[in-house]
Amino acid sequence: MHVPHHNEPSEDESRSNETILSDYYTSQRILKGIHKGHGCPICGNTDVKSKLSRHTSICESCLQKMESDKCLIEEYLFKKAVRLEKISSNEIPFLISLTDQEKYNLLFRFFQVQTDIGQKETLGLVRYFVDLLQIPTDTDYFFETFYPRYLKEFTTKPGLLPRWCTEIPVGLREIRKPGEMIHYIDTMVIYDLKEVFKKKKTGKLFTLTWGRDRIYSHAKAGEETEWEYYEIYQGTVVISSERIIPLQSDGTYPFIFLIARITKLAMKQDGIEIVIDGRDHPYFIAGLNQNRGWNIRFCLENLVKKGTLIEKKSDEEL
């Protein structure tokens, strides 16, 4: 048996990246095909111990080689991307075939190279790979785990927010004004504060006694004024560098809030109260939960003009 010298390249090192990728694709094609027999569909070995799926089993040697090749390809493509080299059309299918978690792990690795290639280049790399990996941008993980980290990593002082990290949907491209940047798109609920009248008993309840007879005087029903939030919109809301835009299904919007006219923000558990110049009572914009509410608060806090009153609650209150 040949024992390689310590300076001699290993089998993986001696194979080119193109060969490793080609071998990996070949293995995947074989496993996707219909295999008859009891041996390993890749090498034919009858000592099959590793089960990939309900209908597919391969030998331990082929499984280890596939996993090793996958790691080598991932590392090669990561380094290639960090060098800002173009990903070839032959390499894209491999990236798309990764699991969602593997795709996110790759994106989070890009977050860590800012000191090496610069924040601007890293931001462009992340946005490019979100599209390239075909990551769905409507999942809970995207909004509640990935996007908060994205905002934190690439928001620069004094509060310049990064653009929406993927391509803007076609309908929004027509709505966007020249020079306007989109920062956040999600399902939100907008509430208005409305004056309501509630019945309330007024006066005092007292008893008059005259001899053996009792005369009762009951409280009278009256009205008092209170303020309550009521829903005026639920659906997709776009937060841009200039506006807060609630979108209808036909691409129109019933109203907008201009960022420049916001005079006060009040942070709530799942969203934010905004007061518009010339209006005494606030609107409330709520996310689907506290994590998405954080995205709304973070964006608006970094978008409003200097001098805007911002009320923050403690972590215990939130």
Side-chain angles (χ1 to χ4, degrees):
M1 181 178 67
H2 171 67
V3 178
H5 188 269
H6 67 277
N7 288 328
E8 205 173 307
S10 66
E11 181 183 352
D12 285 335
E13 290 173 335
S14 63
R15 291 189 298 157
S16 67
N17 292 302
E18 291 77 9
T19 301
I20 296 174
L21 185 62
S22 177
D23 289 349
Y24 183 81
Y25 282 159
T26 300
S27 299
Q28 294 302 303
R29 282 194 297 270
I30 292 173
L31 293 176
K32 288 180 180 178
I34 299 175
H35 175 62
K36 295 181 179 180
H38 302 288
C40 174
I42 296 177
C43 68
N45 188 346
T46 56
D47 185 18
V48 177
K49 296 181 180 180
S50 299
K51 194 173 184 68
L52 283 183
S53 66
R54 183 179 176 183
H55 302 290
T56 306
S57 298
I58 63 175
C59 68
E60 189 66 27
S61 176
C62 287
L63 178 62
Q64 290 181 1
K65 182 177 182 299
M66 281 175 51
E67 292 176 344
S68 174
D69 285 354
K70 184 177 181 179
C71 291
L72 289 170
I73 298 166
E74 281 189 71
E75 190 62 25
Y76 166 71
L77 293 180
F78 172 76
K79 292 179 178 178
K80 183 176 183 179
V82 171
R83 294 194 300 267
L84 304 180
E85 296 178 11
K86 185 178 179 181
I87 302 298
S88 71
S89 58
N90 190 42
E91 294 163 338
I92 292 176
F94 171 83
L95 291 170
I96 295 175
S97 71
L98 297 174
T99 66
D100 286 348
Q101 193 55 58
E102 288 170 339
K103 292 175 180 179
Y104 279 114
N105 291 341
L106 182 61
L107 293 178
F108 290 139
R109 287 189 68 186
F110 289 141
F111 285 8
Q112 302 168 5
V113 299
Q114 294 186 58
T115 54
D116 299 323
I117 67 174
Q119 188 183 62
K120 182 179 179 181
E121 288 74 13
T122 306
L123 175 58
L125 196 60
V126 170
R127 295 183 72 251
Y128 169 68
F129 265 82
V130 169
D131 278 337
L132 187 65
L133 295 169
Q134 297 182 7
I135 290 179
T137 58
D138 57 354
T139 64
D140 290 342
Y141 191 90
F142 178 85
F143 283 112
E144 297 168 20
T145 302
F146 172 76
Y147 212 83
R149 287 186 60 179
Y150 173 81
L151 287 173
K152 278 186 176 180
E153 288 287 339
F154 301 110
T155 294
T156 57
K157 302 298 181 183
L160 298 177
L161 289 171
R163 287 184 295 161
W164 177 248
C165 63
T166 184
E167 286 299 316
I168 299 171
V170 174
L172 296 183
R173 295 176 193 172
E174 288 74 30
I175 293 172
R176 187 180 51 171
K177 296 179 179 179
E180 185 177 24
M181 289 193 296
I182 305 298
H183 301 299
Y184 190 59
I185 308 169
D186 197 0
T187 300
M188 305 179 202
V189 185
I190 300 178
Y191 299 89
D192 194 3
L193 202 59
K194 161 180 155 180
E195 190 176 26
V196 295
F197 296 97
K198 290 195 170 183
K199 289 187 177 296
K200 180 182 179 182
K201 290 185 177 181
T202 59
K204 296 181 179 179
L205 178 65
F206 58 93
T207 302
L208 294 179
T209 303
W210 184 264
R212 289 165 41 172
D213 297 321
R214 289 176 177 266
I215 303 173
Y216 296 95
S217 177
H218 296 280
K220 297 178 180 179
E223 290 183 339
E224 70 173 6
T225 300
E226 290 185 3
W227 293 87
E228 287 187 355
Y229 277 117
Y230 70 101
E231 182 180 312
I232 59 174
Y233 174 84
Q234 181 174 357
T236 301
V237 175
V238 178
I239 299 179
S240 78
S241 54
E242 299 178 20
R243 301 175 292 169
I244 303 171
I245 313 169
L247 289 178
Q248 307 283 27
S249 57
D250 61 358
T252 61
Y253 40 93
F255 55 89
I256 61 168
F257 299 130
L258 294 176
I259 301 292
R261 289 192 59 199
I262 296 176
T263 59
K264 179 182 175 182
L265 301 178
M267 309 303 183
K268 302 294 181 181
Q269 184 174 13
D270 64 341
I272 190 166
E273 283 183 345
I274 62 171
V275 177
I276 306 295
D277 185 27
R279 191 175 192 270
D280 295 333
H281 302 291
Y283 293 96
F284 181 53
I285 303 177
L288 298 179
N289 54 36
Q290 186 173 347
N291 290 330
R292 295 189 180 191
W294 183 93
N295 294 339
I296 300 169
R297 296 194 300 270
F298 189 90
C299 286
L300 291 181
E301 185 178 4
N302 285 280
L303 284 172
V304 292
K305 61 183 182 293
K306 188 176 181 181
T308 301
L309 179 62
I310 300 177
E311 293 181 352
K312 293 186 178 180
K313 293 183 177 292
S314 66
D315 292 337
E316 291 78 12
E317 291 177 294
L318 293 176

